[in-house]
Amino acid sequence: MTEVRVEGLTKAYGPAKALDEVTLTFPDGGFFGLLGPSGSGKTTLLRAIAGFVTPDTGRIWLGDQAVERVPVEDREIGMVFQSYALFPNMTVAENVAFGLEVRRIPGPDRTRRVVEALDLVQLGGYGGRKPSELSGGQRQRVAMARAIVTRPRVLLLDEPLSALDRALRVDMQIELKRIQREVGITTIFVTHDQEEALTLSDRIGILRDGRLVREGTPRAVYDDPQDAFTARFLGEANVLTGLPEAGGLRLADGTLLPGVTTPAIALRPEALAFAVPPPDTPHRLQARLAQRIFSGATGTLVLDWQGQRLKLTASERDLLDLPAEGSPLWLHWPAAAALALRDAG
Amino acid sequence: MIVVARAYLGLILVFLYAPIIVMGVMSLNASEFYALPFDFSTEWYERLFANEEVLAASWRSVWIALVVATVATTLGTMASLALWRHDFPGKRILQALLFPPIAVPWLIIGTAMLVFFFGIGLGRGTPAVVLGHVALALPYVIITVTARMQSFDRALDEAARSLGARSWTVARKVILPYASPGIIAGWLFAFAVSFDQFVVSYFLAEPGDSTLPVLIYTAIRKGFTPEINAIATIIIAVSMTLMIVAARFARFGGTR
Amino acid sequence: MTRAERIRALGLLAPAYLWLTVAVFLPLSAMAFFSLLTEVPFGEREWSFTIANYTEVFGNPVYATLLWKSLKLGFWVTFWCLVLGFPCAWILARMLKGRSREVLFLLVILPFWSNALVRIFSWAIVLRGNGVLDRAVNAVLPWDVNINLMFSEPAIIIGLVHSYLPYVILTTYLSLQAIDETLIEAARSLGARWPRILWRLVLPLALPGLIAGAVLVFVPVVGSFMEPRLLGGRFGTTYGTLIEDQFVAVFNWPLGAALSFILLAVVLVILAAASPALRKAAT
């Protein structure tokens, strides 16, 4: 199969750099999520791999072929667009067959592969319909079938689920993952939805202002974000900054957090616990309860500490014996939950 | 690729403009037979402005176009605002009825008008020409104004009414100002339809009392002279200028 | 809609539609009536009903020949307009952007809104023997050629293509612009090259616009008389000039009305046949 690799990829639009020296390997058969805020260059990177964007410098490898100079139509890719881009003048089967028609696959073989692809996305029997007669989720599946039926070297998904409503999106995430596992094609997908990225990807890459900020497995990046941007972008994070001293990190209210050697730490809201009497640990802060938010199974406490808002989330049943809003409250956490950050963001 | 594209576009533009430019240049050539070398002269323009018949026809064409544009714009704006604002049975039919005057060849419409106007005793002449031109210009005005109103936020209308404004006040203070670029463009289109109209005028104008295009047609058939070049150049300059102005107002959906 | 609103809508609509009725719809109906008379019913003339005008038209092959000639003229002008106009519309819609597209688009469309008669006249200057085209070509070529296209069928076609090309470019441009760019990207990602993308995707999607443009050229060309007259000379006798003659030269109005009415019927059949495409293109 195919490993995809980009090396030193740079693309500038006037003075703005959409991609800035991006080097990244997308493992063979893996599901790689590209994540970043809008304007971070993630879509440009995907379109550069597809061939719609020509990079100024850098190399793109599909397997052992360098493809920077190869036009889109010769790259043997499969792509699913945000709007699905199904051909409205063709039926579902004709849409799926289009790539096979281009490759001059003979009739019987073509039909068989179209049927297989539609079965794979659980749309067997829908071949005769027009795209306009399908629901959003069904269109998404057709787009997927059309992209994989040619057995491309790499499957590129551009925000494939963003046009669906929330409940359907969760179903389609599971579906997408299943299809990708079955066909085993190297898949790269772009999203701005971090939860989606965490759910689907074997590995993720986070981009910011055209640069690759982090890359790794979702768990590794989540558990060790290393910088404040990644910590805040992937999940939620309370970032505490202070002055590193010999004994630890000295915070603005004088608290010394022992064992910390970096100028900042991130605390996930779910890693925090609260107590009314001072807890017996040095990893603690005294804050004030500002607001309590109910949101179903979990609840959130918003706390005020030195003018900074901190968040704590916990299961609803752990949030029963709360003092009144405005009361002082201790926050504490296990030492390992303090994620070291090299900057304060 | 883009070079080939630009070259092709260039050739199309040469095809579209070369004859017009040649005509304009030749109107300034002293030779009656378009002989070269080119010898600059304004003789044909001078002769033109001394030609009573041409002047009278020009003047008639202009004022007919002014009257036609104004009448057609008034009636057309009223109709398009009604079509835009109200939903009623038969609305689609009314909209479909706008297409025959555009789609049916003017030859058929012109001859039909001639026959009918004689039948009702109106006959040929300027009133018949105005009657016919307004009918031809109306669909253009309605389509132009309706296109402009398509981008109007109906909430504005409702907001104004919720503030207690009466229908007429809303129309005057909110809708008409918004529609005005479309109305101006419609007026200019209507003026052009009338000013450039040859076929219908040809059948409806009284001989000896004709509009400029009819006069030119008759003159060409008698054998053409550089004088026709001169007046034709003026006409094309006028109508192109009008259309550039109209295009600026007709930027549908724009904020101008 | 309340009663008051209904009255107001009626008041706003009535003048325009009354005008159209008096000046377009009643005349078209009156023509049908006239075509069935022996003589125009003005003054003291004797007249009666007859179908002689139609038997004359259908009995005499000259009329059918001329109608066929006009239809052929319409076909060729439409053909050349589409062939020349499609690439032009493609370039404007898909290859150019921003200010240069705006300016070029206006330049292409502008002639359509200028005087048709004058533009035909300008071709007469260019095309005639010893005219500008003749001399320009002879100035470039080392040997002598005599280009006299004036008063020929090609001259008529050139003039009419010049008249209607901007229109085809406009309608084609609008339908090409409505095609979502990502559809083309999707086709390319599946490995399709330009000829296939054009044939399988762009043309089917642009077809309603192309048909609309074609019909709106074909119909007036079939009814043209001024252009054949001025550029065609003795080759310029068409169905249109035949009708013109009945009204301004021969003064056989009932026959002219019958000829006009037959042309109207042909036009209406064409418009009706194309109406699904026209409706699709309008939305």
Side-chain angles (χ1 to χ4, degrees), chain B residues 23 216 231-233 235-236, chain C residues 115-123 226:
Chain B
M23 179 181 74
I216 292 173
I231 186 68
T233 305
I235 289 182
I236 215 131
Chain C
N115 198 298
L117 171 70
V118 166
R119 287 195 293 145
I120 291 297
F121 168 64
S122 72
W123 274 105
M226 171 269 282

Side-chain angles (χ1 to χ4, degrees), chain C residues 57-81:
Chain C
V57 174
F58 290 115
N60 188 338
V62 170
Y63 300 110
T65 310
L66 283 178
L67 182 58
W68 181 237
K69 186 180 171 189
S70 283
L71 290 171
K72 267 197 307 193
L73 184 67
F75 171 81
W76 283 114
V77 170
T78 309
F79 173 82
W80 284 113
C81 280

Side-chain angles (χ1 to χ4, degrees), chain A residues 87-139:
Chain A
F87 308 134
N89 56 318
M90 301 182 200
T91 62
V92 167
E94 286 169 338
N95 263 282
V96 177
F98 188 81
L100 301 173
E101 176 193 321
V102 171
R103 286 165 182 74
R104 302 181 198 284
I105 306 288
D109 203 16
R110 195 193 294 177
T111 316
R112 182 181 54 75
R113 282 171 69 174
V114 169
V115 170
E116 276 172 17
L118 285 175
D119 283 343
L120 181 67
V121 298
Q122 301 182 335
L123 282 178
Y126 282 74
R129 301 217 191 167
K130 280 285 176 79
S132 56
E133 298 162 358
L134 301 180
S135 71
Q138 290 169 335
R139 285 179 206 187

